[in-house]
Amino acid sequence: MPDQNGGSSGAGSGLFGAVFARGGASGPVADDAAWLRSMLATEAALARALERAGLASRGAGAAVTKAADANFGPAELAELSRAAALTGNPVPGIARVLTRRVADPAARAAVHAGATAQDIMDTAAMLVARDALGAAIADLTAAADITARLADAHRRTLMTGRTLLQQAVPVTFGLVAAGWLSGLDSAAEWLAIVRDTRLAVQFGGAAGTLASLGADGARVRALLAEELGLADPPLPWHTERLRVIDVAAVSARACAALSKIARDVTLLAQTEVGEVKGNPVAAVAVLGCARQAPGLLATLVACAEQEHQRAAGAWHAEWQPYGHLLQLAASAAAWARDLLGHLDVDTARMAANLAEAGGLPLAERVTALLRGSLGAPQAHDLVAAAAARSASSGVPFRDVLLATPEIENTLTKAGISQARVESALDPSGYLGSSEAFITAALDAHATLTLPRPG
Amino acid sequence: MPDQNGGSSGAGSGLFGAVFARGGASGPVADDAAWLRSMLATEAALARALERAGLASRGAGAAVTKAADANFGPAELAELSRAAALTGNPVPGIARVLTRRVADPAARAAVHAGATAQDIMDTAAMLVARDALGAAIADLTAAADITARLADAHRRTLMTGRTLLQQAVPVTFGLVAAGWLSGLDSAAEWLAIVRDTRLAVQFGGAAGTLASLGADGARVRALLAEELGLADPPLPWHTERLRVIDVAAVSARACAALSKIARDVTLLAQTEVGEVKGNPVAAVAVLGCARQAPGLLATLVACAEQEHQRAAGAWHAEWQPYGHLLQLAASAAAWARDLLGHLDVDTARMAANLAEAGGLPLAERVTALLRGSLGAPQAHDLVAAAAARSASSGVPFRDVLLATPEIENTLTKAGISQARVESALDPSGYLGSSEAFITAALDAHATLTLPRPG
Amino acid sequence: MPDQNGGSSGAGSGLFGAVFARGGASGPVADDAAWLRSMLATEAALARALERAGLASRGAGAAVTKAADANFGPAELAELSRAAALTGNPVPGIARVLTRRVADPAARAAVHAGATAQDIMDTAAMLVARDALGAAIADLTAAADITARLADAHRRTLMTGRTLLQQAVPVTFGLVAAGWLSGLDSAAEWLAIVRDTRLAVQFGGAAGTLASLGADGARVRALLAEELGLADPPLPWHTERLRVIDVAAVSARACAALSKIARDVTLLAQTEVGEVKGNPVAAVAVLGCARQAPGLLATLVACAEQEHQRAAGAWHAEWQPYGHLLQLAASAAAWARDLLGHLDVDTARMAANLAEAGGLPLAERVTALLRGSLGAPQAHDLVAAAAARSASSGVPFRDVLLATPEIENTLTKAGISQARVESALDPSGYLGSSEAFITAALDAHATLTLPRPG
Amino acid sequence: MPDQNGGSSGAGSGLFGAVFARGGASGPVADDAAWLRSMLATEAALARALERAGLASRGAGAAVTKAADANFGPAELAELSRAAALTGNPVPGIARVLTRRVADPAARAAVHAGATAQDIMDTAAMLVARDALGAAIADLTAAADITARLADAHRRTLMTGRTLLQQAVPVTFGLVAAGWLSGLDSAAEWLAIVRDTRLAVQFGGAAGTLASLGADGARVRALLAEELGLADPPLPWHTERLRVIDVAAVSARACAALSKIARDVTLLAQTEVGEVKGNPVAAVAVLGCARQAPGLLATLVACAEQEHQRAAGAWHAEWQPYGHLLQLAASAAAWARDLLGHLDVDTARMAANLAEAGGLPLAERVTALLRGSLGAPQAHDLVAAAAARSASSGVPFRDVLLATPEIENTLTKAGISQARVESALDPSGYLGSSEAFITAALDAHATLTLPRPG
């Protein structure tokens, strides 16, 4: 059960928490403790809002806030659990404990007044998301800054491009890093967009009319939103769940961006490739987090089919996947920051792997060189024959091209010097727009202004 | 196989297309025909861009465009299929057919020059999305306009609120419609955001460097983007798949918003409820479309874990779910527009169902009325006893309250007139902020400016 | 963090555990505590197996077993967590604690000998599944027995059939219950099949060869399997994950069967329908559990793409969804048992709802009656006209048929007596094979012999 | 639209069909054509069953069968489509065409008699599955036979084991293949179990009672089952969807087993590893198929929450994912058979990669060797120091161990000869139970008796 103060004994840490519930400057995000804190914060803010609206006695806000600040002991947590088994959610138990804790009867009347359980849970879900998204944004931003430095530093670090896991024309590690950067920036940007525009207070009462507050409902809601620093939506969203989906979608999207990077790192770090080294646990953990995200997102999207003014099950089914997905996004971001921050790029090995290929990845360029003089068909045939001879003999493609008498003959006749062939085989001359692309990605990163909390 | 001209015999219509591939003003969206058209449009635009950049002979753009405009017959479609079985994707077959169709050798050299198959497929995917999202936006916007009129017209149409499928405090149909409107507007808005900001040309060549175009790659790409009306991204996104995820996520999100509406309609249209009537096939079809979306979205998010410069399988796995999800979103939107446009609201039945409840849903209000005079415990007990007596005897709660002598006595002593009890039982006086919420939703709808294509 | 003794304060109970981690006779299944217990049981059994194989000193098995039985305190749990952050899984920390606890150096050498971390985790996962599936089977079997009694008792309890949420031809509640029974039996049967045939020990060492045990590996594994009561598989399944998928698939399948029942109950219990009453929280909780299952199953199926001899992430990603899905299946089964065990069937309301329909659901039968005398077209038209008149006038279909002069005339001419029409309108005579179907379902239930543990 | 005769122009082939709709000896499985054929076969069998039961005129069965055998032209397909848009499914259109085609009025009355549209669709779904699962089983069985030969032939072909994509202790390629074999066999076995035990006719009429057939319903259903070679279930399963889930689950499970193999092949075939070669398109296509399966399975499991006697949307949502998943399983199996049948195992490269590791993967064995003489701590430290020196100097671990004076000294003092160290570094002596495991997998394969159709 949760430690309300979010210490390391919270359920969020758990047996697998070291891997899957990392991130969060002050303890795990979106764990039981975070949910409980957020529900209590919502109940407290509601009492303050009611007092400000003149619907609760003076001091009621402070009294309920004080009651909500006190820790929940094992007996009270057990009480929540028993009440949840009877009502289907933990809010009634929380309201009961708070009511008991507030001594003054006038103040006591402000506990949970006008609210339904879903108001408290949904608003708490927004607070949980704000913290979790904030943690993920911070780690993604840091990871992006690191990656931008890698991209810049390795603008001309040649390495083999690889398509379908086979060596292809050369790239630079800077270009690879620029691709990662682009994903990291976009991941952070959309997390921030959702955090800053889509987190709204939920307050509708039993059926979304706030009837028990008479004409004051909308005003109380505005004050509640102000107390919590959340948006005040046009109307209750009890069964319009797009906010939940948006939080989930950008979380899964961040995991997706990170999974691409971690996949590349694990492949580049293979013993036989050896082009980077890093914290192997970090790469594996990113992939382990990311693989869990799509299914959780699917659940949350499917849960949007909610009946009337409160759903019979589809709402309840959101709680666990929602919290879990937020945790995974924050955890993946934290691991990725660690991974990228300690990435050891072995430029010598990159060069060696490229040299080992013996020029074969540049065959398309040699063909292009010969096409003008020989015509496309003969150029294509000559290069294909050289590649085949290289493959069967083990002699590097470069050497076949430059040291086979009949090829020499053909080239001489065509007026193509060995120097030009050698030049065509130089990977550093076949990088196209790589550097322009790196610059563009760095420029985009530099101008990305992520709105930051507080 | 696809009819390139996208007629009703296209594969998109198929055996289930009447249900699941609806929408699209000029035929099915995102079907085989749409994919083929889009790939051909990309190849043609590339030739024009190369010509404009001075990298292809004069007239090459027009020649390739003409070749791409001609219909693909059965033999050519079979050729695509054979080539796809050998290469894993349909682009090489398309390039071969185009090459054959362009008679002039100089122009012929412009076919597919500098591009890799993924450039063509990915760019085509963006074009396919532009059309499909446009169709969905149009139908969602129309549906939202209809729903706004319903919300306005039924501001005071009383009906029973329902939570967990049980009757609760009253609401109005206008408030229900305002909730639907809020989902429709948000669905359309995010589709438009993605369509207008996230659809970008893909052009990177074999490994994302555009090496075969030397220093001209970035310029050709900008011209290609211009030709197609797509954004020109900072760098190739071959294995950074967030654009694909964004298209998928807003499509699934639109389905989610629609599923809530269709679920409500099927429940309100139940024989025993009878509060609305509509096209029953439409409601069922919306739900049938929407239920398929979460799984497809999950697949696309999972596919973002792509290796190096081109993925071995994860890219290929995107094509079908991507197209299918776009189709479902457009189809669900088209059905929803039809559903809402023909929704027959039975206000008499709404009133009758509410009357049938005999005032029981207003018990919380009666308790609030009595609380002042009787104190909370006695008020609660009196109302609970009356509700229990109503349930066991079958006598309406209202009648129990007003015609039971000992209750009468208690009320008289407490100075609460029958008129005040009657007034508390009047649902029209217990609507809280409903009308304010409707107004807020209508205002938000009125000020929502969806960017519209050309 | 887990209480190793699995008490109600284990993480499995958590804030939402009262709803989503129910079931299990002796505390929550598949929670952190269950995982920890199972990993310790595996380490202990390994030491005993090594001793029996002559590869560990006498008494080593007992010594390690004793060390594994002692509770893990907060400090040791924190140690697990720190080790997991460094290694990516909790096993190294567990092995270290056990090693420290075994005083005798000879016995100490038996701790974790020959094993890799995945051996311990995977075998523990099988033990976790055995308990969780057992709990789910017990509750499903009890629920099925209850449902069989309902089916039998309500063989002739007439009620309205409903298709697409509209009233259709009559059924009996016994037939409805027989359909539920069929799902419950199948759910339990497949859980038992997987529990009894697919749970196998995992033991392969670093790369699946058990090389460090020389020629003794296979023998030790057989003894380990015997110690734990698990199957001894042909070869290690470190990266052949079909056992994990099978556990997941039957768990999700059980949730699916239960979701249909809970959906029916929530619909039948609607205020406007009122045909059954039950524990509303139970129905909602079943739906809440079941909705989370498909996404978790998808994750586990996707995770089967595992590299070489140990996967970089896909294995790690299994732990949480696997345990969660087992919990949900057990929880849904427990709630369903409660729901069905307290289901109050309101046969009077069923009869009243049927009577309210005024015979309209039997229109197809009246048409069939008239077809012989009038011919199909005229029979169809007459019935359609009567139905339309009923709908527009509010006069019951039955009364329209029996009291409209021109219909009377037509029937008289055709030689069809009012008594035959009345008989055609009697729903109790239009039940087809309902009772035979109920009997068949009850027979199948009676002959289903679920293999039971111990 | 479908070509009823299932030729290569069927929608199943489509633009992506060459990759994703492979398999099936006589054309694509589970495409539109297969659905249409199966629905027609069901309607025909129903007429024959009715005639055999004495409920249709003599010759009615043959007449309807003849009508069902005739091809559907474009006009009739368009008619299906129009009817589907009005009714939500293609069956009413089919029934109308058949009715029109049967000239004899008595025979005409047998068309679709007693059936509801869902009866036809669901039974057709079972027929579609039978063919598709049969195709997948055939290709999986062939793939397994090939793999068994590989496992046997390469019992002693040494290669590097790899965990977390890093080299680990040695394995043999035979052991790797045996692991693949185990997955293939299990995949085929469960497909066969579902095909042979879970495919049952659906026949229940409007609400599952077969009321319009009076007392004859169950008998007609038994005859229908006989005509189609499907099981006759205890009762209709209109809204008990576990059969659909079972078909889906074993299909996704087969994809999962294949994905592991294809992932290994793509990794082993990397340019830098080069240990196998195969059809690269085949490996990519298997992965491309398999990645789509989890999401489709999730959809089908989620769709089991079906209302009352016919579901409003959840049933409809099954059709496309169900057919698509069957296609993907058959396609993945066909590609895998091709992949494994043309796999070129480069044993020299395997040996070279192992040699290149310089003995480092055997460090754990050297430690074990030294432990006896030096004690565990000193043995561990010596080996760790040697490994570190190897890593920093580039000198192979083997050479560091054997040629570093102070290590030589230590070993000599401890009485450990160089020969014993050399022997510990010999990978062929460190294979543990590998061969026993291969034999066990081959034995299990040899004794697996897959029930085969016809």
Side-chain angles (χ1 to χ4, degrees), chain D residues 43 65 110 122 147 164 169 179 185 192 212 229 258 267 272 275 305 323 346 349 354 361 373 382 430 435:
Chain D
E43 294 280 12
T65 300
D122 280 354
T147 307
L164 306 177
V169 296
D185 276 346
S212 74
L258 294 169
L267 291 171
E272 296 85 357
E275 299 186 0
E305 189 197 308
D346 190 336
R349 188 72 181 263
L354 197 55
S373 320
L382 184 151
Y430 200 60
E435 232 179 312

Side-chain angles (χ1 to χ4, degrees), chain D residues 13-58:
Chain D
S13 53
L15 196 53
F16 305 122
V19 182
F20 296 122
R22 224 171 142 96
S26 52
V29 298
D31 64 351
D32 278 7
W35 273 104
L36 182 53
R37 268 197 319 270
S38 301
M39 288 189 277
L40 290 165
T42 303
E43 294 280 12
L46 174 58
R48 297 195 301 274
L50 289 164
E51 182 183 345
R52 286 174 64 191
L55 300 174
S57 63
R58 273 199 64 175

Side-chain angles (χ1 to χ4, degrees), chain A residues 363-380 383 416, chain B residues 109 113 212:
Chain A
E364 78 169 40
R365 194 185 191 194
V366 176
T367 307
L369 170 69
L370 305 185
R371 202 184 291 134
S373 320
L374 303 180
Q378 203 189 335
H380 174 271
V383 169
I416 297 170
Chain B
S212 73

